[in-house]
Amino acid sequence: MAPLDRPIRIGTDCSGMETPVMALRALKVEYEHMFSCDIEKSVKEQILANFPPKVWFDDLMARDNDSRSTPSVDLYVAGFPCQSFSAAGLGLGFNDKRGEVFFGCASYIEAKRPRVFVLENVKAILTNDGGDTFKTVMSTLKQIGSGAYHVSHKVLDTQDHGVPQSRKRVYFVGIRKNTVPAGFQGFEWPEELPRVSIEPFLNRRRKVPTMKDLPKKGGVTARSGAKEVLQQLKREGKDPLNKTYIIDIDASARYRNFMRDRCPCMTKSRAAGYWISSRARRMSLEEMLRCQGMEPGCFKQVVSDRAIGAQIGNAMSQNILERLFLKLLPLAGLVPASQALKDRFKSRAMMLPRSKVEEPKTGKRALEKAPKDKVTKKVGLKADGCETLADSGRRLVMVVRRGEALTTQLVEARDGQAGDHSFEVPLGVSEAGHGMQQIQEEEEKRSAILTKMGRRRCLCSVFFSGA
């Protein structure tokens, strides 16, 4: 199919902050914004003030997609609600009214047949309902137009694409078969980039904080959360006042999470921002925007700070969308062949300092190189016990005791994600629901499973010794 000789027509559902439109603007792609849709009043106010579409829909489930009043588009993007599939929710999937919104998105694609669609959701949709939810999503999309689309999916992490936020999301991409060139072999996903430090994304600090510089607002949870994490890092020989740790101070001890030199997954419920240890303050809205791939100043704020913070946490990462569009638009003939799209995040990643997080070492050899007396002292385990488990090739996480002895002091890591984490371990639970995934209230952070831990509870810190 010939490339378009007019601006791209884009429409979005569950529009949020309209990062798809921001991505097109950043790529300098001409577009017509045909429609947006979102059920939240503050989202509507913000979009209409900044990216007004030709048509606004309050509820896509009440829309008649077959009607001429519903615009056709070339590019359709929707981040359908994740609460029904997230590990932080009840996991009801399609049995939840919000889960049914996916079928509203599929209905639009069936009726209007855009050249390209991009759908986004949390990683847990892949395993919800024993994997049946994912099978339903893929079969539904592949059956549209009796197989009119090449459909593929992949989990993409924001921090692997030029922005230091740990945020895994699954993206479903559909390209209409009659738009791709002859010999099409499948969609080529953006390659991962070196992980960058969070420092260039943060405002300069004014002074070196002290251990007494704690949150003044946010209640007892925020203040005690910051204090406990700082004290723990100090005990572990870390320097959180000069090295940057991003801390979820609004979480209870059980689910509290923090990361070195990168931001944990931002969510709607953390609208006030995470705590920056090296600045002794919460992240500003500008910093939160940068950690979602957006540029401060690219829109005017017409709603409250809290409303914007919630929208940032609920948005699709702009860097991911830009890098997807770089591949999708030329492939489907949505930009002229003569128009070269620039991958600004790749260029920046080559120039920005690398993340200071050390990736976990792998295999038995890495464990054997560690001083045995140090391991024994910190973990309270016999060194040969660690080596025996290493022989099996499993990823290991060691738990440092903070009080009563643990019945078992090893847990197995699924993702092997590097970083320092602290949480209150509910011993005696062997299901994944109490892994580090839920600490961040998002299923993509689940990286540990507690196993054979007895019945007591104690405060622990977790670090990776191998992957």
Side-chain angles (χ1 to χ4, degrees):
M1 183 174 286
L4 294 179
D5 57 2
R6 55 169 174 76
I8 293 175
R9 291 172 181 159
I10 181 173
T12 65
D13 278 327
C14 310
S15 303
M17 294 196 73
E18 276 298 9
T19 48
V21 171
M22 293 187 201
L24 290 180
R25 284 188 176 185
L27 291 170
K28 296 179 171 55
V29 172
E30 293 186 6
Y31 68 90
E32 285 185 80
H33 191 180
M34 303 306 293
F35 72 88
S36 295
C37 175
D38 205 286
I39 61 173
E40 291 201 21
K41 182 180 178 181
S42 65
V43 169
K44 181 177 181 179
E45 291 178 33
Q46 190 65 28
I47 289 177
L48 293 181
N50 289 277
F51 313 105
K54 292 187 175 181
V55 181
W56 176 271
F57 297 102
D58 287 318
D59 185 356
L60 73 91
M61 299 302 285
R63 183 176 64 207
D64 182 359
N65 290 320
D66 293 315
S67 172
R68 290 185 178 181
S69 63
T70 300
S72 296
V73 299
D74 306 302
L75 173 62
Y76 174 71
V77 185
F80 57 101
C82 66
Q83 296 92 335
S84 305
F85 313 107
S86 173
L90 297 177
L92 297 178
F94 294 136
N95 293 319
D96 186 324
K97 185 176 181 180
R98 292 168 297 185
E100 296 175 356
V101 173
F102 162 74
F103 296 106
C105 299
S107 171
Y108 177 83
I109 300 170
E110 177 71 72
K112 300 302 183 182
R113 305 287 174 82
R115 288 198 183 195
V116 170
F117 67 77
V118 177
L119 305 181
E120 179 253 22
N121 210 277
V122 293
K123 181 183 173 185
I125 197 172
L126 301 176
T127 54
N128 181 262
D129 195 17
D132 287 345
T133 297
F134 169 68
K135 292 177 183 177
T136 299
V137 169
M138 289 299 288
S139 64
T140 301
L141 296 176
K142 288 182 176 181
Q143 289 170 17
I144 290 174
S146 300
Y149 288 87
H150 293 290
V151 181
S152 56
H153 78 283
K154 188 172 184 178
V155 174
L156 301 177
D157 193 338
T158 298
Q159 66 182 332
D160 291 326
H161 296 274
V163 172
Q165 182 197 174
S166 178
R167 186 185 190 87
K168 292 181 182 178
R169 291 292 184 270
V170 59
Y171 291 82
F172 299 90
V173 167
I175 310 168
R176 212 170 68 208
K177 291 179 179 178
N178 65 350
T179 66
V180 298
F184 176 73
Q185 297 296 314
F187 179 59
E188 181 182 345
W189 294 86
E191 76 278 14
E192 293 185 358
L193 302 175
R195 293 183 178 180
V196 299
S197 170
I198 200 172
E199 291 298 335
F201 294 75
L202 302 177
N203 299 331
R204 281 188 175 185
R205 68 177 184 174
R206 298 176 180 176
K207 64 175 183 177
V208 178
T210 70
M211 293 293 284
K212 295 182 179 180
D213 293 321
L214 299 170
K216 295 180 174 61
K217 297 181 180 180
V220 177
T221 298
R223 188 174 179 83
S224 62
K227 183 177 181 179
E228 289 170 8
V229 170
L230 292 175
Q231 289 177 341
Q232 175 186 325
L233 289 170
K234 281 285 190 179
R235 288 194 299 266
E236 294 173 358
K238 308 291 176 57
D239 186 10
L241 302 181
N242 285 294
K243 306 298 182 183
T244 298
Y245 290 82
I246 309 297
I247 310 168
D248 181 4
I249 59 174
D250 295 310
S252 65
R254 175 183 294 184
Y255 301 117
R256 189 173 300 134
N257 181 38
F258 57 92
M259 290 186 168
R260 166 79 171 100
D261 204 26
R262 55 183 167 155
C263 179
C265 182
M266 290 189 285
T267 66
K268 184 177 181 180
S269 65
R270 296 296 183 263
Y274 293 131
W275 187 258
I276 309 174
S277 69
S278 59
R279 272 77 168 168
R281 61 169 174 80
R282 290 182 183 269
M283 293 180 72
S284 68
L285 290 175
E286 291 80 9
E287 292 165 333
M288 293 168 68
L289 286 167
R290 294 186 194 116
C291 286
Q292 277 282 50
M294 293 178 254
E295 296 292 340
C298 66
F299 59 84
K300 60 183 178 181
Q301 182 179 336
V302 297
V303 296
S304 69
D305 286 355
R306 192 159 194 87
I308 285 290
Q311 290 179 27
I312 294 171
N314 207 34
M316 285 184 270
S317 296
Q318 184 176 329
N319 59 317
I320 297 288
L321 288 176
E322 279 190 41
R323 303 198 77 224
L324 284 175
F325 291 171
L326 281 166
K327 301 281 188 178
L328 287 167
L329 302 188
L331 183 63
L334 293 178
V335 292
S338 59
Q339 183 174 359
L341 303 180
K342 295 183 179 180
D343 190 345
R344 65 190 181 112
F345 289 98
K346 182 176 181 178
S347 300
R348 288 179 182 180
M350 297 301 109
M351 296 185 293
L352 290 174
R354 298 289 184 264
S355 173
K356 299 299 188 298
V357 176
E358 293 185 4
E359 296 299 331
K361 298 178 181 179
T362 60
K364 177 182 176 181
R365 183 173 298 178
L367 285 179
E368 289 176 340
K369 288 183 178 180
K372 292 185 178 182
D373 58 343
K374 185 176 181 180
V375 173
T376 303
K377 181 179 179 180
K378 288 197 73 174
V379 184
L381 290 174
K382 294 182 179 179
D384 60 353
C386 297
E387 292 177 357
T388 299
L389 285 174
D391 285 340
S392 69
R394 292 192 298 168
R395 295 168 176 171
L396 304 180
V397 173
M398 298 184 180
V399 180
V400 183
R401 292 186 294 183
R402 293 292 180 217
E404 298 174 299
L406 301 179
T407 305
T408 302
Q409 292 156 315
L410 287 176
V411 292
E412 182 176 343
R414 277 188 171 179
D415 297 335
Q417 191 175 24
D420 300 305
H421 303 267
S422 174
F423 59 97
E424 191 176 16
V425 180
L427 303 184
V429 179
S430 61
E431 298 299 325
H434 289 282
M436 282 190 275
Q437 181 77 336
Q438 272 203 341
I439 295 172
Q440 300 192 80
E441 300 184 334
E442 295 289 347
E443 82 306 328
E444 76 279 7
K445 295 302 180 294
R446 180 180 300 155
S447 57
I449 303 174
L450 301 179
T451 56
K452 302 177 183 177
M453 299 290 281
R455 296 183 178 180
R456 297 181 180 178
R457 301 171 70 180
C458 68
L459 186 64
C460 306
S461 65
V462 176
F463 66 96
F464 292 98
S465 63

